[in-house]
Short mmCIF file of all heavy atoms in Angstrom, two decimals:
data_model
loop_
_atom_site.label_atom_id
_atom_site.label_comp_id
_atom_site.label_asym_id
_atom_site.label_seq_id
_atom_site.Cartn_x
_atom_site.Cartn_y
_atom_site.Cartn_z
N LEU A 1705 61.23 94.86 -61.85
CA LEU A 1705 61.50 96.06 -61.07
C LEU A 1705 61.54 95.69 -59.59
O LEU A 1705 60.78 94.84 -59.13
CB LEU A 1705 60.42 97.13 -61.27
CG LEU A 1705 60.32 97.73 -62.68
CD1 LEU A 1705 59.20 98.77 -62.73
CD2 LEU A 1705 61.63 98.37 -63.10
N ALA A 1706 62.44 96.36 -58.89
CA ALA A 1706 62.53 96.24 -57.43
C ALA A 1706 62.19 97.60 -56.84
O ALA A 1706 63.05 98.49 -56.76
CB ALA A 1706 63.92 95.78 -57.01
N LEU A 1707 60.93 97.80 -56.48
CA LEU A 1707 60.47 99.10 -56.00
C LEU A 1707 60.82 99.28 -54.53
O LEU A 1707 60.67 98.35 -53.73
CB LEU A 1707 58.96 99.24 -56.20
CG LEU A 1707 58.45 99.18 -57.63
CD1 LEU A 1707 56.93 99.31 -57.65
CD2 LEU A 1707 59.09 100.26 -58.49
N SER A 1708 61.24 100.48 -54.20
CA SER A 1708 61.52 100.84 -52.81
C SER A 1708 61.25 102.32 -52.63
O SER A 1708 61.19 103.08 -53.60
CB SER A 1708 62.98 100.52 -52.44
OG SER A 1708 63.87 101.30 -53.23
N ALA A 1709 61.05 102.72 -51.38
CA ALA A 1709 60.84 104.13 -51.05
C ALA A 1709 62.12 104.67 -50.44
O ALA A 1709 62.69 104.08 -49.52
CB ALA A 1709 59.67 104.28 -50.08
N PHE A 1710 62.58 105.81 -50.93
CA PHE A 1710 63.84 106.37 -50.47
C PHE A 1710 63.83 107.88 -50.63
O PHE A 1710 63.06 108.44 -51.42
CB PHE A 1710 65.04 105.78 -51.25
CG PHE A 1710 64.90 105.90 -52.74
CD1 PHE A 1710 65.42 106.98 -53.43
CD2 PHE A 1710 64.24 104.91 -53.47
CE1 PHE A 1710 65.29 107.09 -54.80
CE2 PHE A 1710 64.11 105.01 -54.85
CZ PHE A 1710 64.63 106.10 -55.52
N ASP A 1711 64.69 108.51 -49.85
CA ASP A 1711 64.87 109.96 -49.92
C ASP A 1711 65.69 110.30 -51.16
O ASP A 1711 66.65 109.62 -51.51
CB ASP A 1711 65.58 110.45 -48.66
CG ASP A 1711 65.50 111.97 -48.51
OD1 ASP A 1711 65.35 112.68 -49.52
OD2 ASP A 1711 65.61 112.44 -47.37
N GLY A 1712 65.32 111.39 -51.83
CA GLY A 1712 66.04 111.79 -53.02
C GLY A 1712 67.51 112.05 -52.77
O GLY A 1712 68.35 111.86 -53.67
N ARG A 1713 67.86 112.46 -51.59
CA ARG A 1713 69.26 112.71 -51.28
C ARG A 1713 70.07 111.42 -51.32
O ARG A 1713 71.27 111.43 -51.63
CB ARG A 1713 69.39 113.37 -49.92
CG ARG A 1713 68.81 114.78 -49.89
CD ARG A 1713 68.87 115.39 -48.50
NE ARG A 1713 68.36 116.75 -48.49
CZ ARG A 1713 67.09 117.08 -48.44
NH1 ARG A 1713 66.19 116.11 -48.37
NH2 ARG A 1713 66.71 118.33 -48.46
N ALA A 1714 69.45 110.30 -50.97
CA ALA A 1714 70.15 109.02 -51.05
C ALA A 1714 70.45 108.62 -52.48
O ALA A 1714 71.27 107.72 -52.73
CB ALA A 1714 69.30 107.94 -50.38
N LEU A 1715 69.80 109.26 -53.45
CA LEU A 1715 70.07 109.00 -54.86
C LEU A 1715 71.16 109.92 -55.40
O LEU A 1715 71.99 109.52 -56.22
CB LEU A 1715 68.78 109.18 -55.66
CG LEU A 1715 68.85 108.92 -57.17
CD1 LEU A 1715 69.08 107.44 -57.42
CD2 LEU A 1715 67.56 109.39 -57.85
N VAL A 1716 71.15 111.15 -54.94
CA VAL A 1716 72.05 112.16 -55.50
C VAL A 1716 73.42 112.15 -54.82
O VAL A 1716 74.47 112.28 -55.47
CB VAL A 1716 71.41 113.56 -55.40
CG1 VAL A 1716 72.38 114.64 -55.84
CG2 VAL A 1716 70.15 113.60 -56.24
N GLU A 1717 73.44 111.98 -53.49
CA GLU A 1717 74.69 112.05 -52.76
C GLU A 1717 75.70 110.99 -53.18
O GLU A 1717 76.91 111.29 -53.31
CB GLU A 1717 74.42 111.97 -51.26
CG GLU A 1717 73.72 113.20 -50.72
CD GLU A 1717 73.32 113.05 -49.25
OE1 GLU A 1717 73.58 111.95 -48.68
OE2 GLU A 1717 72.75 114.01 -48.71
N PRO A 1718 75.31 109.72 -53.45
CA PRO A 1718 76.31 108.76 -53.94
C PRO A 1718 76.95 109.17 -55.26
O PRO A 1718 78.13 108.89 -55.50
CB PRO A 1718 75.51 107.47 -54.09
CG PRO A 1718 74.40 107.61 -53.11
CD PRO A 1718 74.04 109.05 -53.14
#
Side-chain angles (χ1 to χ4, degrees):
L1705 295 180
L1707 298 179
S1708 63
F1710 54 92
D1711 193 335
R1713 293 177 178 81
L1715 181 69
V1716 174
E1717 291 174 358

